[in-house]
Amino acid sequence: TAKRADERGYRLFELAMQEATQRRRLLEVDLRRACMREDFHIAYQPVIDSATGAFTGAEALLRWTCPERGNVEPSEFIPIAEELGLISRIGASVLKQACHDAASWPEHLDLAVNISPVQLLDPRLPQTVIQALDDAGFPASRLELEITETALLGNDEIVMRTLTKLREFGIRISLDDFGTGYSSLSYLHRFPINRIKIDKSFVRQLPADAGSASIVRAIAQLGQSLQMKITAEGIETDEQMEFIAEHGCNDIQGFLISRPIDATKIVGLFQREKRKAVA
Ligand code: C2E
Ligand code: MG
Ligand code: MG
Ligand code: MG
């Protein structure tokens, strides 16, 4: 009977595997189709200055609404797009659309766009970025590209060449989800990075958790001494916001300020603030 139970267990395992493979294959099919039909849109999450509370810009976040599945999370479909070799194409259209949308924002506001590690290894990236800026008439000085620590790992020369080229055009680079990757502090110093975004996992337990509080303080100090800007992401409560503002983070992003919203809504948000400033 033990053998029977084993066999049964194995059979169940096999079925689960088959189901996972099947689900994954269907997701791939849908994603390829979404690429053809451009079933994507971009949501924008505003960022504010921690000292003044004024908007400093917004981050573009890709959204996929599949006719059958509904909304699929970027954390689910972006890794697949990377594996299927679709991410450079998707990424190029995000850059194009986001620069186009941001061209109608007030001039003091910046745009941040996420760049996958796979895109960063594509030697065509600088050209793609410049093309998107040119087409939209959006200035390079208002664009910030968000890369992750993983992207810096191991491909020093290619990545360095690309980042240097982007910087020469006046584009800024920020290091997203800081503290979650295989961080080596030497990266911060070696690569031309303008900003650190403290990962939301450290923000979540502020201010009560002493460990998270020390990490946030340390990252903020590190950034300041390396003359980098600091953003804290994932701010959901007033207490988190106060802690962050007191500890030298320049910018704040999170549901407390606003969830990611569509292109029309963010223009409305920015315009309301502008009117308030004039009044
Ligand atoms: P990310 O770049 O770190 O973006 C921040 C994520 O945190 C977003 O999730 C945003 O909706 C979420 N978030 C913002 N404020 C809060 C908060 O207060 N609380 C919580 N719990 N979450 C908050 P989203 O949109 O699901 O995106 C997940 C990740 O997918 C992004 O993380 C980014 O790594 C990736 N991603 C999104 N759009 C793109 C894209 O166009 N290209 C690439 N390559 N990656 C993208
Ligand atoms: Mg999400
Ligand atoms: Mg980001
Ligand atoms: Mg992040």
Side-chain angles (χ1 to χ4, degrees), residues 33-102:
R33 191 186 54 187
C35 259
M36 308 270 301
R37 300 196 313 207
E38 301 187 350
D39 282 343
F40 299 105
H41 75 277
I42 303 175
Y44 294 92
Q45 187 177 37
V47 180
I48 64 165
D49 180 316
S50 70
T52 64
F55 292 120
T56 60
E59 175 177 5
L61 293 161
L62 186 58
R63 295 291 177 258
W64 174 26
T65 310
C66 176
E68 289 84 28
R69 300 164 188 276
N71 292 327
V72 186
E73 290 285 313
S75 56
E76 187 169 12
F77 73 80
I78 285 172
I80 301 178
E82 288 172 342
E83 274 181 51
L84 295 181
L86 298 171
I87 195 68
S88 286
R89 209 167 104 204
I90 297 174
S93 77
V94 170
L95 278 162
K96 202 172 158 162
Q97 183 68 45
C99 290
H100 173 81
D101 290 342

